[in-house]
Amino acid sequence: MKYLVIGAGGTGGCIGAYLAKAGKDVTLIARGPHLDRIRENGIELETNWQGTYTVAPIKACDTEHYDERPDVIFVCVKGYSLADIVPFIKRITDKNTVVIPILNIYGTGGKLQVLLPELLVTDGCIYISANITGPGKIKMHGKIFRVFFGVRDPAQFRPVLKQIEADLNDSDILGILSPDIRKDALQKFSYVSAMAACGLYYQVEAGAVQKPGEIRATYIELLREIQALALAMDIHFDVDIVHFNLDILDALAPTASTSMQRDIGQGKQSEIDGLVFEVLRMGAHYRVPMPTYQRLAQAFSELAQ
C-alpha cells in the first residue's frame, strides 16, 4: 500500500511519522522550510510520555514534484484550502485510489466527493492534539491518537478499507473503520468546535477549561447544543458526549489549544466559518436553538469578514 499524506502539520505530520516509523510506504506533502527539514532530518516529535525523538527518514515532497500513484490519500489540510488541492489529487490518482479527508470541518467527505466523482472519498476524523513548533518539529500534547473513517453509503465499501485500518493499527494509531461515520464524525466535531469557540472567546488554553467555573460551564453548554442538533439530524451518539469530551479534554496538557485559535492569534486565515458559523447554519436548518453558540459567535462577527 502506497500512502500519501497531504499536509504535514500537527495532524498529517503525526500520521506520516507514525506510518513511516512502522515501515509503511508513505510520502508527506509539505512546503517551505518545513519540507526542507523533513527531507534532511525527518520529523522530530516532542511528547511528555516518550520524550523527544526523531522519525527518519521520511519521504517528503511538494505538489509540483510528486510523481507517484498512491493507493490511499489522507487529506490533512485546513478546510479553506480544500479546493486548492483538488487539481493535484486529480493528477496523481486513478479510479482505485481511496481519499480519506481528516479535517476539522463536519461533512468534508461529501463535499470533496462531488469534486472528485471518479474516486472513493470517505469521511474521516481524528482525535489528536499536536502542532508544529518549528520546521520539522511537532509537539504532541497527549497520547490520544485515533483515526475514524468510513463510507457514507454501505454500497461503497471496498476490502481495501480493512487493510487501511490494519495498517493504521500496525503503526500505533488507533484506526477504526466506522460503520456509522456520520455519527463518529459529528461526535469528534462536537469536541473541536466547542473547544475552538470556547478557547477563542475566553482567550484561554485547555488548562482553563479543565477547571470548574464559568469557562468549563460554557464548554459544556456548547456540547449540549450540538447534542440537541444531532438528535434533530437523527444521529444518536453511543456515549454522553459531555462526559466523553470532558474526559478527552482533561487528559490533555494544560497548554493545548485548537489550531483555529492559534491561527487567529497569529493573524492567519482560520477555520472559524466551518467550526463556529456553520454550526449556527445547521441549527437554523434543523430548527434547533443554539443560544450559547449565538452569543459567542456575535463576539466573533468581525473575524468572519
Side-chain angles (χ1 to χ4, degrees):
M1 294 278 282
K2 189 181 295 294
Y3 288 91
L4 179 68
V5 181
I6 304 178
T11 295
C14 287
I15 291 175
Y18 273 57
L19 287 172
K21 185 171 63 172
K24 308 303 179 186
D25 184 347
V26 59
T27 302
L28 279 169
I29 296 296
R31 59 189 177 186
H34 192 49
L35 170 60
D36 295 338
R37 186 63 63 87
I38 293 172
R39 280 174 162 169
E40 293 169 6
N41 303 318
I43 290 181
E44 180 182 289
L45 292 177
E46 178 186 349
T47 74
N48 60 10
W49 61 94
Q50 284 185 303
T52 299
Y53 63 95
T54 299
V55 179
I58 298 179
K59 292 194 295 182
C61 193
D62 57 24
T63 55
E64 182 179 354
H65 295 95
Y66 182 79
D67 59 0
E68 299 184 33
R69 188 76 69 189
D71 299 296
V72 182
I73 300 176
F74 285 106
V75 178
C76 303
V77 300
K78 298 293 178 64
Y80 51 77
S81 299
L82 199 62
D84 296 338
I85 64 163
V86 169
F88 170 62
I89 293 176
K90 287 181 176 180
R91 176 173 69 80
I92 62 170
T93 55
D94 60 32
K95 64 180 182 179
N96 296 315
T97 305
V98 176
V99 179
I100 304 176
I102 306 290
L103 278 74
N104 286 327
I105 310 302
Y106 181 74
T108 299
K111 295 175 183 176
L112 192 55
Q113 182 70 83
V114 173
L115 300 174
L116 299 167
E118 302 301 320
L119 306 178
L120 172 59
V121 182
T122 73
D123 268 317
C125 63
I126 189 168
Y127 286 85
I128 192 172
S129 179
N131 64 280
I132 295 176
T133 57
K137 299 181 179 182
I138 295 176
K139 181 174 183 177
M140 299 181 70
H141 300 275
K143 289 185 178 181
I144 187 170
F145 197 172
R146 307 174 193 157
V147 172
F148 289 78
F149 66 102
V151 292
R152 293 171 297 282
D153 179 355
Q156 294 179 306
F157 175 82
R158 295 182 190 174
V160 68
L161 299 176
K162 294 295 292 182
Q163 181 61 52
I164 298 168
E165 179 185 48
D167 282 352
L168 289 171
N169 282 286
D170 189 47
S171 305
D172 290 329
I173 301 169
L174 179 56
I176 300 172
L177 179 55
S178 170
D180 189 353
I181 192 59
R182 190 166 169 258
K183 176 202 70 178
D184 288 326
L186 185 61
Q187 184 169 310
K188 162 58 198 300
F189 179 78
S190 72
Y191 172 81
V192 69
S193 171
M195 189 62 187
C198 195
L200 180 63
Y201 184 78
Y202 290 102
Q203 293 294 303
V204 296
E205 296 174 327
V209 195
Q210 291 167 343
K211 302 173 184 176
E214 177 188 342
I215 301 176
R216 190 176 179 90
T218 299
Y219 177 66
I220 290 171
E221 285 304 312
L222 293 169
L223 292 174
R224 286 177 175 155
E225 289 179 7
I226 291 189
Q227 194 163 34
L229 178 62
L231 289 174
M233 296 169 67
D234 198 27
I235 293 176
H236 303 275
F237 298 125
D238 300 327
V239 297
D240 181 321
I241 64 166
V242 172
H243 293 151
F244 181 82
N245 285 329
L246 288 178
D247 285 345
I248 293 172
L249 167 67
D250 293 342
L252 294 179
T255 55
S257 62
T258 64
S259 60
M260 184 194 88
Q261 187 179 350
R262 292 192 298 272
D263 286 343
I264 291 174
Q266 296 168 13
K268 299 179 180 178
Q269 189 173 5
S270 80
E271 295 179 306
I272 192 169
D273 184 74
L275 285 174
V276 179
F277 293 97
E278 177 65 15
V279 178
L280 292 176
R281 291 191 289 267
M282 292 168 69
H285 178 77
Y286 288 99
R287 299 182 180 180
V288 177
M290 312 200 82
T292 310
Y293 265 98
Q294 187 69 53
R295 175 168 62 86
L296 271 57
Q298 287 176 349
F300 306 152
S301 56
E302 292 185 2
L303 297 173
Q305 302 303 316

